């Protein structure tokens, strides 16, 4: 079982041209602790979860290098990291010449970084990549394997973050936006939280529990066109550092679910002084 350790957002957006169609790539990253508490770092395309498995891309290529490092967590030092990034770029060019593909992510763990591709055809890529490593990086141990994965389980079950990690990432995303606006995240401030329920009595029960927890009710609302028509907004003054806000939002998600509702996130003001 994977235990969440920490989250590191690495967000970029690029455009992929595939069969004449432009689709926006959304890349995120996170860190988590795995077996024996060892930390791993995952970077992946988040946007593919809505379409995976993608028809005709039935083969997964997993390949990468092992490396030496003095880092206690097994992560590469600067010079090695630059080499690994360069290898990832070179692998994309190699795969691109052989077959249609989706580059879905990478996983760095215990002195190894692996790249993940879904391929339309495996061709002779194992041999091509082995020769590439032997020629360009003879001092490194390498791994390369292609196997059938029609259901994209490597992507959906391994690379893609758990619900818990996604919630942590969502909180980190808000904090990153605050920091980009000049917020130092050191001062407590009003934080608004949104909830939605299918039944009014369940909303009222949740509201009463929130009041006991010293939340203030901003307002309630009804949207009859929604499947969860009963809206509840509450607020409380809290700190916004991740170690404070994540336990709060986790508890609010649990509380909403207890009454058949959904917690829909939070927002706050930017504090720059």
């Amino acid at each position: 079982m994977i235990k969440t350790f920490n989250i590191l957002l690495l967000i970029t957006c690029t455009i992929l041209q595939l069969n004449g169609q432009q689709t926006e790539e959304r890349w995120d990253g996170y860190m988590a602790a795995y077996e024996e508490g060892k930390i791993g770092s995952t970077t992946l395309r988040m946007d593919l979860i809505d379409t995976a498995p993608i028809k005709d891309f039935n083969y997964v290529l997993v390949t990468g290098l092992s490396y030496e490092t003095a880092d206690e967590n097994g992560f590469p030092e600067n010079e090695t990291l630059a080499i690994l990034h360069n290898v990832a770029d070179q692998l994309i060019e190699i795969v691109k010449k052989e077959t249609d593909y989706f580059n879905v992510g990478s996983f760095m763990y215990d002195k190894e970084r692996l790249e993940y591709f879904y391929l339309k055809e495996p061709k002779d890529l194992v041999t091509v990549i082995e020769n590439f490593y032997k020629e360009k990086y003879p001092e490194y141990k390498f791994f390369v394997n292609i196997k059938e994965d029609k259901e994209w389980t490597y992507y959906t079950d391994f690379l893609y973050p758990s619900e818990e990690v996604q919630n942590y990432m969502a909180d980190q995303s808000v904090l990153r936006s605050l920091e980009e606006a000049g917020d130092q995240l050191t001062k407590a401030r009003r934080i608004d939280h949104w909830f939605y329920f299918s039944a009014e009595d369940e909303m009222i029960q949740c509201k009463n529990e929130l009041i006991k927890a010293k939340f203030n009710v901003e307002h309630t609302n009804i949207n009859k066109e929604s499947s969860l028509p009963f809206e509840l907004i509450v607020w409380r003054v809290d700190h916004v550092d991740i170690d404070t806000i994540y336990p709060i939002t986790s508890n609010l998600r649990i509380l909403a679910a207890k009454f058949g509702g959904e917690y829909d996130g939070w927002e706050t003001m930017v504090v720059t002084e």
Side-chain angles (χ1 to χ4, degrees):
M1 180 178 180
I2 296 174
K3 179 182 70 175
T4 301
F5 179 84
N6 191 11
I7 304 299
L8 170 64
L9 291 185
L10 306 169
I11 299 180
T12 60
C13 284
T14 58
I15 300 296
L16 172 68
Q17 185 78 26
L18 179 66
N19 298 327
Q21 300 294 322
Q22 282 192 342
T23 57
E24 184 179 272
E25 297 182 10
R26 183 166 64 88
W27 288 81
D28 286 359
Y30 63 93
M31 298 173 70
Y34 296 84
E35 295 180 1
E36 301 178 354
K38 291 182 180 179
I39 303 169
S41 175
T42 302
T43 305
L44 77 157
R45 276 192 67 175
M46 297 286 289
D47 56 290
L48 293 175
I49 195 64
D50 295 326
T51 53
I54 297 176
K55 184 180 178 182
D56 296 330
F57 290 82
N58 298 331
Y59 300 92
V60 61
L61 163 65
V62 184
T63 184
L65 298 177
S66 298
Y67 53 85
E68 296 300 323
T69 178
D71 182 86
E72 62 180 9
N73 292 315
F75 291 135
E77 294 158 293
N78 290 338
E79 183 177 346
T80 304
L81 183 60
I83 291 172
L84 295 172
H85 284 163
N86 190 46
V87 170
D89 292 338
Q90 291 173 305
L91 286 169
I92 289 173
E93 294 305 313
I94 291 170
V95 174
K96 185 186 298 184
K97 291 178 181 178
E98 299 293 327
T99 184
D100 290 335
Y101 72 96
F102 285 93
N103 178 17
V104 298
S106 67
F107 180 59
M108 198 151 50
Y109 174 75
D110 198 19
K111 302 180 182 180
E112 183 179 55
R113 172 168 167 149
L114 297 174
E115 311 295 331
Y116 292 76
F117 298 83
Y118 278 91
L119 313 174
K120 198 164 190 179
E121 298 178 273
K123 296 285 184 86
D124 195 25
L125 267 169
V126 169
T127 300
V128 172
I129 293 172
E130 285 179 346
N131 290 337
F132 158 71
Y133 288 138
K134 291 174 182 178
E135 179 184 351
K136 300 293 185 181
Y137 301 95
E139 67 276 28
Y140 289 87
K141 293 181 180 180
F142 63 82
F143 176 85
V144 55
N145 185 39
I146 295 176
K147 64 185 299 183
E148 191 173 67
D149 184 19
K150 292 182 179 180
E151 299 302 317
W152 281 43
T153 56
Y154 275 75
Y155 173 73
T156 59
D157 296 351
F158 178 63
L159 292 175
Y160 200 79
S162 66
E163 183 178 356
E164 179 186 5
V165 174
Q166 290 180 63
N167 291 337
Y168 195 112
M169 293 169 73
D171 286 345
Q172 280 280 40
S173 180
V174 177
L175 298 184
R176 189 183 67 257
S177 296
L178 290 173
E179 288 181 311
E180 289 173 350
D183 200 316
Q184 300 299 309
L185 308 182
T186 57
K187 293 186 177 181
R189 81 287 304 273
R190 169 174 167 158
I191 303 174
D192 294 80
H193 303 270
W194 272 256
F195 299 81
Y196 293 92
F197 301 87
S198 58
E200 185 175 16
D201 61 334
E202 293 171 338
M203 179 191 71
I204 292 172
Q205 291 179 67
C206 186
K207 180 181 71 174
N208 291 337
E209 290 293 320
L210 289 165
I211 291 172
K212 291 178 184 178
K214 302 188 183 305
F215 284 91
N216 304 280
V217 177
E218 176 65 18
H219 78 256
T220 60
N221 189 36
I222 301 176
N223 179 4
K224 295 182 179 180
E225 296 181 359
S226 172
S227 59
L228 296 171
F230 295 94
E231 178 187 72
L232 169 65
I233 302 175
V234 301
W235 64 272
R236 193 175 71 181
V237 174
D238 284 300
H239 283 87
V240 294
D241 59 280
I242 192 62
D243 291 334
T244 300
I245 194 64
Y246 178 65
I248 292 171
T249 60
S250 295
N251 289 332
L252 293 179
R253 288 185 181 92
I254 293 170
L255 183 64
K258 176 182 175 181
F259 295 104
E262 292 183 4
Y263 175 70
D264 197 41
W266 60 278
E267 70 175 22
T268 190
M269 67 192 75
V270 175
V271 178
T272 57
E273 296 182 355

